[in-house]
Amino acid sequence: MELSYSSPVNITTGSIMELSYSSPLNITIFTLVLVVFLYNFIHHLTSPRKTKLPPGSFGWPIIGESYEFLYGNSQKFIGDRMKKYSPKVFKTKLHGEPTVVLCGPAGHKFITVNEEKLFRTWRPYSLQKLFRAPFLPDTKVVIPRETLVHVTKAPGFIKTDALIEYAGKMDSMIQQQFKLHWRGKPEVKAYELLHRMAANLSSRFFLGLEENDPRMEKFAMLSFGMTQGLNCIPINFPGTRFYRAKKVAETMRKEVLQIIKEKKAAMCSGVQTNDILSHMMLSGNSETGRFKTETEIATMSSAVVVSGFTTPSTGLSIIMKYIGERPEIYNKIREEQMEISSSKKPGELLNWEDIQKMKYTWHTALEVMRLRPPFQGAFREALSDFTYEGYTIPKGWKVYWTVTTTNNNPECFPEPEKFSPTRFESLPPYTFVPFGGGIRMCPGKEYTRLVMLTFLHNVVKYFKWEVLAPNEDMIGTVLPVPKNGFPIHLHPLST
């Protein structure tokens, strides 16, 4: 047989044998293909059975499905995949990491009871880089949540004993906010005012700033700037959202460092302080035995300040919208609050016992957060391989705890589309977890409750309001913000 190197081979009609003898190059290719085929065949026969992963899709290379999750509608993102793959568990890729999403009451319970056994806290890279202590060599190291939990649960801070003392001070500060920024203004952008109020409260109780300290307003602006980069793709390039947020985070740390120096000087003079920042300065690390550096304290304090205002400001905006559009709900809340107000002497501030009487108001707030949750979920990391619903979740995978998958489930909430605050008078466990659960229950839950109820007491006491943009879109869904700032028309009331 004569070998030909000039004429092409007709692959559609020629046999494999004819193709293999057409050139030395084709002989080499055929040999490699045969070797690879035989290796894969033998490997398949001898290797253990593959891990059974949950159903789902990793999406695009590298970014996975992060863009749709972060910049689309995250509730719809989760809901669509529950319908397509499984209502209990599915896999995806978020923040560049293979991720499994556990859904429903069973998912809530599984994560709650297995904290620290199967999971540890994990933060998206945007949060890691914004709140990372710059003195740590590992760029992936994030300030342990355990540190923040320890601080906020320390004696005299976010525990009930401290909140009892906070009630009157908080009532006074909120009344002052109304006097400065609400009264005499027929139209306001409520989200901006709520943001300012929540940030001022956070600065007062966490950093120890006095009510008339002009830096409160600066921290309000800085906090808002940081939230823009909390949940986004961390592209550190001029002009990006994350780049701007990182610059703001550096500025906030410098501001807190200045406050630390002032507090040190005051302490040396014998001044008594009682706030989270002071506690951080005086407490050592129980594991290493060393005290934290000023840079460490400034970084952790920044994280506490920002976390202390995000949920109250967003949650109260959504609650005000629902109340403003439902006169019957507004009237019931005002009736409850005016009964409390009528029991007070002129000028007397709210106390802890008053807060406990606001049951219908709090149930209304919970119902609104069920329908329009201000917080969507949190991430964990698998400490080892584990099995869930017959699927194996590998070690190192991220686990997303989505707190919203039960909110519209008729098995958990009959007639879920109906606005019914009374449903929270009795609720089965693991059906509603806006603040997480178990040992990782949000340490600021009771603080947030106090902020919301104190504000609602005052706003229905002094105002009725008309929602001017009922169809206003929310920007972002991980931390949603009203696109136009939630404009309302205020109607002052005599008390």
Side-chain angles (χ1 to χ4, degrees):
M1 179 181 294
E2 181 179 351
L3 297 178
S4 172
Y5 300 98
S6 57
S7 60
V9 177
N10 189 334
I11 297 178
T12 58
T13 58
S15 65
I16 294 179
M17 186 64 68
E18 290 173 334
L19 177 63
S20 65
Y21 279 97
S22 62
S23 72
L25 177 61
N26 284 335
I27 293 174
T28 303
I29 293 174
F30 176 79
T31 303
L32 289 174
V33 171
L34 182 61
V35 169
V36 170
F37 173 79
L38 291 174
Y39 172 82
N40 288 334
F41 180 74
I42 296 171
H43 180 73
H44 175 75
L45 293 178
T46 58
S47 63
R49 190 174 181 180
K50 290 184 178 180
T51 299
K52 185 180 180 182
L53 299 175
S57 170
F58 285 142
W60 294 94
I62 303 177
I63 65 171
E65 299 185 304
S66 299
Y67 190 87
E68 186 178 353
F69 175 76
L70 291 172
Y71 302 111
N73 185 318
S74 61
Q75 273 191 278
K76 185 176 184 300
F77 175 91
I78 299 295
D80 289 348
R81 282 152 184 78
M82 288 175 67
K83 293 176 183 176
K84 184 176 181 179
Y85 300 118
S86 167
K88 297 180 179 180
V89 57
F90 63 87
K91 71 173 183 287
T92 179
K93 186 180 245 186
L94 303 176
H95 299 287
E97 297 283 344
T99 304
V100 62
V101 182
L102 306 187
C103 311
H108 295 337
K109 181 178 180 179
F110 186 82
I111 293 176
T112 298
V113 301
N114 287 292
E115 293 281 16
E116 303 302 329
K117 301 174 187 175
L118 299 178
F119 314 112
R120 65 182 174 190
T121 299
W122 184 81
R123 297 286 186 265
Y125 296 113
S126 55
L127 273 73
Q128 291 186 21
K129 292 179 182 297
L130 286 179
F131 293 124
R132 181 182 67 84
F135 50 84
L136 294 172
D138 185 354
T139 58
K140 291 188 177 182
V141 173
V142 64
I143 298 170
R145 184 179 185 275
E146 291 75 11
T147 303
L148 302 182
V149 172
H150 169 71
V151 170
T152 53
K153 287 189 174 182
F157 299 108
I158 310 296
K159 295 176 70 173
T160 302
D161 292 346
L163 295 176
I164 290 174
E165 297 182 10
Y166 287 175
K169 296 177 183 178
M170 192 171 290
D171 187 19
S172 175
M173 286 188 67
I174 289 175
Q175 289 186 40
Q176 182 70 7
Q177 287 288 307
F178 279 122
K179 182 179 179 180
L180 294 174
H181 305 295
W182 295 68
R183 289 180 179 173
K185 298 179 181 179
E187 291 187 12
V188 297
K189 290 190 174 182
Y191 177 77
E192 295 176 7
L193 299 184
L194 287 167
H195 167 85
R196 176 187 282 117
M197 179 201 73
N200 285 354
L201 292 174
S202 183
S203 299
R204 170 67 181 86
F205 294 110
F206 298 163
L207 299 180
L209 296 183
E210 296 300 326
E211 293 183 35
N212 59 350
D213 194 318
R215 286 176 293 186
M216 279 191 170
E217 292 296 312
K218 187 169 186 178
F219 273 106
M221 297 300 296
L222 292 172
S223 299
F224 182 75
M226 286 187 71
T227 59
Q228 302 302 297
L230 290 182
N231 288 278
C232 66
I233 298 174
I235 301 175
N236 193 27
F237 188 80
T240 64
R241 182 187 302 179
F242 180 77
Y243 180 86
R244 293 192 295 269
K246 195 172 181 183
K247 291 293 184 183
V248 171
E250 293 170 0
T251 302
M252 180 177 281
R253 272 191 285 270
K254 291 178 182 178
E255 291 290 332
V256 177
L257 281 170
Q258 179 59 37
I259 297 174
I260 290 173
K261 297 182 186 301
E262 295 172 8
K263 285 186 176 294
K264 279 189 173 182
M267 290 175 183
C268 290
S269 302
V271 176
Q272 296 293 320
T273 57
N274 185 36
D275 53 73
I276 288 179
L277 179 55
S278 299
H279 177 76
M280 286 182 179
M281 294 167 60
L282 296 172
S283 63
N285 189 306
S286 60
E287 294 182 1
T288 64
R290 72 174 181 85
F291 283 87
K292 304 176 187 69
T293 66
E294 291 184 358
T295 306
E296 288 178 283
I297 296 169
T299 302
M300 288 186 285
S301 299
S302 299
V304 172
V305 169
V306 172
S307 63
F309 92 90
T310 49
T311 300
S313 56
T314 301
L316 283 171
S317 296
I318 301 171
I319 291 167
M320 281 193 71
K321 180 180 186 299
Y322 269 79
I323 295 174
E325 294 174 342
R326 292 163 176 79
E328 70 283 2
I329 301 294
Y330 171 90
N331 291 334
K332 288 181 181 179
I333 290 177
R334 190 167 195 271
E335 181 182 354
E336 180 177 76
Q337 298 302 330
M338 293 309 293
E339 184 177 346
I340 293 171
S341 183
S342 64
S343 67
K344 314 293 290 182
K345 297 177 182 178
E348 184 181 1
L349 298 171
L350 291 173
N351 56 44
W352 189 249
E353 288 72 24
D354 298 325
I355 300 298
Q356 306 317 304
K357 297 175 184 177
M358 302 178 186
K359 294 183 178 178
Y360 182 81
T361 305
W362 182 238
H363 290 163
T364 299
L366 293 176
E367 178 68 340
V368 174
M369 287 191 285
R370 178 185 72 84
L371 293 169
R372 294 296 299 270
F375 176 72
Q376 301 293 321
F379 286 91
R380 304 286 188 267
E381 183 177 61
L383 293 171
S384 61
D385 290 3
F386 68 89
T387 302
Y388 184 77
E389 291 292 327
Y391 300 105
T392 297
I393 288 76
K395 176 183 177 180
W397 273 38
K398 305 307 176 279
V399 179
Y400 184 62
W401 183 359
T402 169
V403 303
T404 64
T405 54
T406 54
N407 291 6
N408 295 304
N409 186 338
E411 295 180 4
C412 302
F413 296 96
E415 300 182 272
E417 72 287 347
K418 183 179 179 181
F419 188 85
S420 177
T422 56
R423 69 170 85 243
F424 286 93
E425 293 173 0
S426 177
L427 199 65
Y430 304 110
T431 54
F432 188 63
V433 288
F435 299 99
I439 62 173
R440 294 211 175 272
M441 172 80 72
C442 174
K445 174 188 175 183
E446 286 302 309
Y447 173 83
T448 299
R449 176 172 170 267
L450 178 60
V451 172
M452 287 184 166
L453 290 176
T454 306
F455 171 82
L456 290 171
H457 169 83
N458 284 284
V459 76
V460 299
K461 180 179 177 180
Y462 296 118
F463 300 102
K464 290 189 73 171
W465 59 92
E466 178 186 353
V467 178
L468 298 179
N471 298 318
E472 181 178 9
D473 292 331
M474 302 293 284
I475 301 174
T477 54
V478 179
L479 287 171
V481 175
K483 182 178 181 179
N484 301 315
F486 183 41
I488 59 173
H489 185 88
L490 292 171
H491 301 277
L493 299 174
S494 58
T495 58

